[in-house]
Each structure stands twice: as C-alpha cells, then as structure tokens.
Amino acid sequence: MSTLATVAVLALAALHVYILVLEMFLWTTPRGRAAFGTTPESAEATKALAANQGLYNGFLAAGLLWGAIAADPVGFQVSVFFLVCVAVAGAYGAATASRKILFVQTVPALVALTLVLVAH
C-alpha cells in the first residue's frame, strides 16, 4: 500500500481505539455523555451495552492495524475487509442511531478504502 493509504488506515484504527475508550471507559463521564448525547441516567443504564459495543470497535481497530502493517497481499486484503466492515457498521449506525455516524465513521472508511484500492 502507499504511504497515504497506510496513514489513512492507521488514522481510522486510531479513531476506533478512541471510540473504544469512550464506550468502554468513559461512557458515564461528562466527556463520554457529551460525545454520545446521553443523560447520566441513560448512560448508567446502558454502560454494559456500551462497553460491549466498545469491544467491537476495538476489534475493528485491531483488524485495521493488522491490515496496515501486514505485507501484501494479506495487508491489502485485510485492509479492504475491515474498511468495508467499518463502512457498513457506520451506515447501519447512521440509519439507526445518529446521522453523525455517517460522517465520523462511514465517510472516512470510504476515503481510506478508495486510497487503498487506488494504491493497489
């Protein structure tokens, strides 16, 4: 992969690590509640669900990191797979939870996917 494509994949991995931290560790804090627009009561009631969701974001981050550092053809294949997973998860989240997810998750994944495909 090109340097630009690799940087894009790594940036998306970093974003998903940040989301993991917000969902698993900061969900009930003012920062976590502000990020997701929850009340203290709803954050407390949904913290186990959010932690589970954070774990899945961690798996996405791990896959993106693997794709960025693995030699081709594996690196390319893994990057494409996980970028598509992120784009689909973001589209679903935008349709069911918050339209903001489309711009935070799906658009960056599609940009990174385009860069990976063009670099290949």
Side-chain angles (χ1 to χ4, degrees):
M1 283 194 300
S2 73
T3 301
L4 184 58
T6 301
V7 167
V9 172
L10 288 172
L12 198 59
L15 172 65
H16 281 274
V17 168
Y18 178 63
I19 295 169
L20 172 150
V21 170
L22 283 172
E23 292 175 337
M24 292 189 81
F25 306 111
L26 302 177
W27 186 255
T28 58
T29 68
R31 176 69 191 117
R33 290 193 326 270
F36 296 100
T38 58
T39 65
E41 297 78 21
S42 68
E44 189 61 37
T46 58
K47 68 181 180 181
L49 178 64
N52 184 280
Q53 188 169 297
L55 185 62
Y56 284 97
N57 276 291
F59 292 140
L60 290 173
L64 292 166
L65 180 60
W66 175 25
I69 64 173
D72 285 336
V74 172
F76 170 76
Q77 294 165 342
V78 170
S79 291
V80 168
F81 174 78
F82 279 96
L83 289 166
V84 169
C85 287
V86 170
V88 170
Y92 184 79
T96 60
S98 170
R99 196 176 196 133
K100 178 177 129 180
I101 297 171
L102 187 69
F103 302 102
V104 172
Q105 191 172 340
T106 306
V107 170
L110 293 175
V111 169
L113 179 61
T114 300
L115 290 170
V116 167
L117 293 173
V118 167
H120 189 69

